[in-house]
Every structure is written in C-alpha cells, then in structure tokens.
C-alpha cells in the first residue's frame, strides 16, 4: 500500500486501540492504579522494567512488587528503613532479583530526596533540544552514579550506546510524555515533546513493522528503533509514537 493508504490504515488502528479498553490487559494498567505523580512514575518504571514475557505475569509481578511497598511507592522509598527493605532480597521476576530490587529502591530514595519528578533524570543539563539517545544515556549514567552500584543491574536499564533498542524505557517514556486525552498515556511530563520519542520496538511491533515495510534493517537495535520512528514521522511528524498502539495491537490482538 502507498503512504496515504498506510497512514489511513494505521490511523484507524490507533483509534481502535488507543482507548481505555486497552488498559486492563497491558502493563500500563500498573501506573493507572495510582494518582500521585511520583507514584505513577515509580510504578510506571517498575512495570516497564518488568515488561518481558507474558503480559499477565508482568502485571502480577509488578503488583506484587508495589504491594511490598504498601501500594504507596513514593512514601515507601522516602521513609523505608533497612528492616522495611529486607523482604525485597527474596523478590524475583525473570532475571530481576533481590540485588536489583534493593538498588532500585536505593536509587529512588536518593533521587526523590533531591528532585520532585523522575522527569528531571532525563533532562539534567541537556536542555529541551537534546535527542533521545542523549537523554537515555544520561539516565543510564545517572541511575548508576551511586557508589557500589551492582553491575548486574545494568541489564535492566537499557542504554543506546550498548546498541539496545531500549524498548522498555521508550515504552515508559511514551506513557509519561504522550497526552491526547484518550485515557491510556498520562502526559504528565512536558519537557520532552511527543515528537522526540522513539517507538518501543518489541517483538510484535518489530514483526508487524517489517511486514508493512517500516523496517528494513536486519537486526533489531537502537538504529532499528530510529529507522521505524523516522518512517512513522512521515505519517505524523508531531506524534509518531502513537502508532505503537496500531503496530502492537495488530501484532498481539490480530496476529497480523
């Protein structure tokens, strides 16, 4: 199909999936269980980091983790004692273990002691014109800037400089940045524009995008995510990542 036909088809699918009915069966349901901005940020990052494998398992393990925080993640990380965090030593989800859990809590406590919003971790001194590669690299370096950080935890915070497609962190940023009043994405950050986002390139999105000719690269890495996003910008330069709904929905729900 030509570009106009492709845009019309994908716009239709965005409208179909970008609505509240999408929420309950997707990891985005986890941050939707909270109202306070900082709780949404913490819950969102945890759900995104856990987003490997079956969506049902991701949702259940995210709820388990946040339940251990008394369903008040921001209050918990700010007030927790050594005794409070001990149960996290036994937490496990796929390759995420107790060491990772304790460091995440340690980072959140340190960060929110100095900043009001996790948005600032992606801004730093970069300014509004910085590209997403610079922002994600900055976040990675900041996240692991605390003394004695465990190197095993690197695998849970992707970094473009390590060739990762950064699917999970790009999904988290979509949740925080996009604002279209459809009820799925939160749009609680305003220092990053939707036009600057990179499309989360997971297995389903990757497969559908290749079938539609939106990806030509052989391997799936950071350059592939950029290739996909640049092609989606030809359909909507201001909000290319809205098409994540269409590509993901076509892959997961319709086995396109």
């Amino acid at each position: 199909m030509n570009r106009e036909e492709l845009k019309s088809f994908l716009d239709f699918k965005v409208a179909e999936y970008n609505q509240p009915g999408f929420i309950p069966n997707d990891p985005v349901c986890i941050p939707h269980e909270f109202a306070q901005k900082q709780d949404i940020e913490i819950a969102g990052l945890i759900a995104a980091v856990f987003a490997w494998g079956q969506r049902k398992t991701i949702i259940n393990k995210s709820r388990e983790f946040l339940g251990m925080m008394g369903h008040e993640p921001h209050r918990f990380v700010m007030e927790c004692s050594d005794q409070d965090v001990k149960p996290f030593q036994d937490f496990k989800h796929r390759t995420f273990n107790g060491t990772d859990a304790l460091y995440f809590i340690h980072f959140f406590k340190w960060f929110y002691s100095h900043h009001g919003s996790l948005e600032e971790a992606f801004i730093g001194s970069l300014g509004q014109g910085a590209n997403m590669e610079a922002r994600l690299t900055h976040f990675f370096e900041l996240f692991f800037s605390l003394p004695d950080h465990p190197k095993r935890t690197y695998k849970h915070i992707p970094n473009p400089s390590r060739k990762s497609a950064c699917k999970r962190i790009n999904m988290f940023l979509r949740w925080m940045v996009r604002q279209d009043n459809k009820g799925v994405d939160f749009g609680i950050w305003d220092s990053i524009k939707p036009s600057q986002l990179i499309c989360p390139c997971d297995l389903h999105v990757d497969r559908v995008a290749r079938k539609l000719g939106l990806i030509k690269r052989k391997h799936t890495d950071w350059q592939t995510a950029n290739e996909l996003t640049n092609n989606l910008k030809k359909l909507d330069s201001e909000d290319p990542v809205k098409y994540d709904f269409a590509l993901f929905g076509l892959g997961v729900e319709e086995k396109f």
Side-chain angles (χ1 to χ4, degrees), residues 200-237:
C201 201
D202 80 341
L203 187 69
H204 306 287
V205 169
D206 184 273
R207 178 168 52 82
V208 174
R210 289 181 188 280
K211 285 193 174 185
L212 293 173
L214 294 165
I215 294 175
K216 302 290 188 189
R217 277 179 60 79
K218 202 173 206 179
H219 305 291
T220 301
D221 54 15
W222 179 249
Q223 284 179 268
T224 309
N226 271 284
E227 178 190 12
L228 171 59
T229 305
N230 288 332
N231 281 323
L232 295 176
K233 283 183 177 180
K234 296 173 184 176
L235 308 181
D236 188 334
S237 61

